[in-house]
């Protein structure tokens, strides 16, 4: 699981040697007549020398399920939904049968539940709440689940815990919902009781945790920490690293890169943002050696005594579960007015770790693929299609280390109704170290919904930048530190949320074609020098490495 520092150093030196050699051949100045093999930016040469502590570029080389594994686990087939009463006639409600098959697989200890080719009507939502259960269709072009009802009908009205008349189905839940059974039950009970919950790893009131041990000071990028007492820790265990803020909000300042700008920022009145703290980072333990604990990923932030750092328990997670090879098509209805979504939502991962989706299409949905307090999950070969979505992809409530690759947002099939909103690939709520890679966005934008997301990467993406970002003013800054946009091709020339050197502190924009400001125009949240970098601007697809995530994997 873990890497020793000697291994990391050797790999870093090898990567650095490759990068320096490439620069010697190509040079670093962007020109229209660039050689076919591209140009290596200065930032990449810097990164390979200090991959875990670079001030502008985060290390995301282990993002995704099982550290970014190329293959997902193949579980033996233990159930076929037709044996439990599902019928591919497009008219019989097959949701109960599909859920019975999933439950049987879960009680058997896991396995694959097959859905054969055809169209299966579902009048209820599909729940995957057991570890190591995979719901597998015959391919997204062969198996369709036709959903006739929304989450408001199936569960009830879901209001915002921050007040107002907003529908939380605008950013929560899915008609295929992967969440541990006990956590799902508690969420639904709270919604039906109108006690609008927190949705993360420590329960509806964020009080379902206990301390395993306190943690000594350590630096961001370290793989190993020293704890006070390791008796309750073991290799393979999933724990939460919990960092609280202090009265001076130095944790939030640290997430923003530190310095005069974040120090001068007004944090106290950003009540939605401060409700997201403590920062909770799920991670597996790779090694226990006395009081030395090595994680499967490097520390996302410094660990300082003033933030009361500790390893804690959490709600029981969902692990090893997936959904593959199917299309989820909702009955086609007009898109709802902004923030009044009824919940024709696609696939949601919640309190999930090392889970995945592969070859999945969602059509005519309010919101497409959701990561809600989900970490180390992979969405691969996913597509959002049909009449248009509010959030095609959303990543929120402290979701970390996820990988979304080979994704597509198709152009909407009908014009947008008045008073609706289109975001795109969303990230918010202190979510960090997530990657969007190899994408085609025929509409939408790189949506930050405020809430200080930091250390996220968007790389090798083509985008028709026609969406708008959201976020309440009380949710705080659009960006924290170490946001990177690398090799982005903007087809309509709009700068907003693509060229972020004037918006995101201690961040990087590399390999972006020439863009201009129009429509929604933002100003930086922090004053003074943002220490943000811009390189190979005005070029198209010449930056090398072409894909920042894949290059980090190859180190």
């Amino acid at each position: 699981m873990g890497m020793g520092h000697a291994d990391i150093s050797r790999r870093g030196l090898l990567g650095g040697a490759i990068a320096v050699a490439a620069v010697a051949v190509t040079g670093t100045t962007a020109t229209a007549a660039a050689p076919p093999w591209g140009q290596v930016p200065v930032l990449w040469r810097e990164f390979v020398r200090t991959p875990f502590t670079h001030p502008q570029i985060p290390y995301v080389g282990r993002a995704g399920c099982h550290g970014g594994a190329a293959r997902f686990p193949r579980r033996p087939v233990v159930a076929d939904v037709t044996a439990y009463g599902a019928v591919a006639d497009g008219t019989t409600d097959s949701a109960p049968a599909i859920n019975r098959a999933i439950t049987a697989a879960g009680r058997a200890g896991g396995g694959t539940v097959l859905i054969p080719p055809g169209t299966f009507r579902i009048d209820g939502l599909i729940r995957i709440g057991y570890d190591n259960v995979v719901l597998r269709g015959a391919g997204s072009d062969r198996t369709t689940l036709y959903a006739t009802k929304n989450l408001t009908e199936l569960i009830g009205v879901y209001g915002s815990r921050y007040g107002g008349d907003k529908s939380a189905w605008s950013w929560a839940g899915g008609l295929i919902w992967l969440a541990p059974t006990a956590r799902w039950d508690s969420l639904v009970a709270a919604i039906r009781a109108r006690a609008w919950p927190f949705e993360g790893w420590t329960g509806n009131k964020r009080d379902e945790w206990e301390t395993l041990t306190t943690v000594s000071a350590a630096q961001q990028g370290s793989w190993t920490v020293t704890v006070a007492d390791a008796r309750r820790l073991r290799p393979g265990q999933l724990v939460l690293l919990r960092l609280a803020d202090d009265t001076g909000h130095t944790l939030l300042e640290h997430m923003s890169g530190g310095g005069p700008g974040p120090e001068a920022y007004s944090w106290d009145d950003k009540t939605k943002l401060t409700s997201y703290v403590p920062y909770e980072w799920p991670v597996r333990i790779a090694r226990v050696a006395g009081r030395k604990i090595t994680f499967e990923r490097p520390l996302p932030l410094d660990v300082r005594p003033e933030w009361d750092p500790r390893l804690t328990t959490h709600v029981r997670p969902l692990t090893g579960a997936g959904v593959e090879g199917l299309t989820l098509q909702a009955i086609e209805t007009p898109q709802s007015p902004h923030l009044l979504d009824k919940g024709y939502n696609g696939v949601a991962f919640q309190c999930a770790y090392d889970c995945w989706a592969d070859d999945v299409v969602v059509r005519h949905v309010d919101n497409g693929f959701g990561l809600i307090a989900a970490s180390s999950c992979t969405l691969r070969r996913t597509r959002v299609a049909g009449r248009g979505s509010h959030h095609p992809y959303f990543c929120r409530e402290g979701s970390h280390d996820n990988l979304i690759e080979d994704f597509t947002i198709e152009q909407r099939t009908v014009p947008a109704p008045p008073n609706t909103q289109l975001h795109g690939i969303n990230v918010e709520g202190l979510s960090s170290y997530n990657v969007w890679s190899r994408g085609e966005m025929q509409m939408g934008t790189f949506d930050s919904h405020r809430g200080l997301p930091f250390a996220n990467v968007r790389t090798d993406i083509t985008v028709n930048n026609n969406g708008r970002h959201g976020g309440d003013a009380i949710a705080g800054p659009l960006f924290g530190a170490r946001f990177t946009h690398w090799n982005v091709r903007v087809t309509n020339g709009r700068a907003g949320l693509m060229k972020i050197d004037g918006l995101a502190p201690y961040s990087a924009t590399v390999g972006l074609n020439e863009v201009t400001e129009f429509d929604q125009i933002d100003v930086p949240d922090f004053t003074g020098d943002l220490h943000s970098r811009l390189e190979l601007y005005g070029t198209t697809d010449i930056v090398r490495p072409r894909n920042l995530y894949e290059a980090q994997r190859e180190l």
Side-chain angles (χ1 to χ4, degrees), residues 68-344:
R71 295 172 181 254
F72 300 120
R74 305 301 288 179
R75 313 283 187 211
V77 175
V78 296
D80 186 311
V81 298
T82 58
Y84 290 81
V87 182
D89 59 5
T91 58
T92 302
D93 177 17
S94 293
I98 295 171
N99 284 321
R100 284 195 297 270
I102 290 170
T103 298
R107 289 175 176 170
T112 296
V113 175
L114 289 182
I115 309 179
T119 297
F120 296 82
R121 173 172 169 158
I122 56 171
D123 295 340
L125 63 89
I126 303 303
R127 292 176 50 194
I128 303 177
Y130 298 90
D131 292 347
N132 304 318
V133 171
V134 179
L135 183 66
R136 182 187 301 156
S140 61
D141 58 343
R142 301 181 67 203
T143 296
T144 296
L145 302 183
Y146 179 63
T148 63
K149 294 185 179 180
N150 56 59
L151 294 169
T152 301
E153 295 173 283
L154 296 171
I155 294 175
V157 171
Y158 187 4
S160 169
R161 65 178 183 252
Y162 299 102
D165 59 357
K166 302 172 184 176
S167 167
W169 298 128
S170 301
W171 57 76
L175 292 170
I176 299 178
W177 200 331
L178 293 90
T181 296
R183 187 71 184 102
W184 192 89
D185 288 344
S186 70
L187 285 165
V188 169
I191 293 166
R192 289 176 172 161
R194 295 180 173 259
W196 314 132
F198 285 92
E199 301 155 274
W201 286 97
T202 49
N204 294 343
K205 298 180 180 180
R206 298 196 75 179
D207 58 358
E208 296 178 37
W209 61 275
E210 60 180 275
T211 298
L212 296 169
T213 182
T214 56
V215 183
S216 300
Q219 289 188 325
Q220 178 236 319
S222 301
W223 293 70
T224 299
V225 298
T226 301
V227 300
D229 185 350
R231 286 177 295 178
R232 297 180 65 185
L233 306 178
R234 66 184 187 281
Q237 181 180 2
L238 185 67
V239 297
L240 285 185
L241 172 66
R242 185 180 193 271
L243 300 177
D245 206 358
D246 57 15
T247 57
H249 298 296
T250 60
L251 176 61
L252 295 175
E253 291 173 3
H254 176 54
M255 292 174 176
S256 305
E263 289 172 5
Y265 185 79
S266 175
W267 299 100
D268 284 327
D269 60 344
K270 309 303 186 297
T271 52
K272 191 171 185 177
L273 170 62
T274 54
S275 77
Y276 297 152
V277 182
Y279 175 80
E280 296 170 337
W281 182 58
V283 65
R284 287 197 194 280
I285 294 173
R287 186 179 305 124
V288 178
R291 294 193 297 118
K292 299 288 187 182
I293 306 301
T294 301
F295 297 129
E296 66 176 350
R297 292 177 172 87
L299 286 177
L301 294 163
D302 287 353
V303 172
R304 300 180 187 173
E306 55 265 36
W307 301 331
D308 189 25
R310 55 189 64 218
L311 300 182
T312 76
T313 62
H314 45 78
V315 299
R316 189 182 186 281
L318 180 71
T319 65
V323 55
E324 303 176 345
L326 58 83
T327 289
L328 173 66
Q329 179 170 317
I331 185 172
E332 187 170 357
T333 60
Q335 186 176 347
S336 296
H338 189 219
L339 297 175
L340 297 178
D341 295 352
K342 296 176 181 178
Y344 290 107

Side-chain angles (χ1 to χ4, degrees), residues 12 16 27 32 40 52 64 76 103 129 194 220 229 234 282 352 411 490 537 541:
V40 180
F52 309 123
T103 298
R194 295 180 173 259
Q220 178 236 319
D229 185 350
R234 66 184 187 281
Q411 185 59 257
V490 183
Y537 174 61
D541 212 23

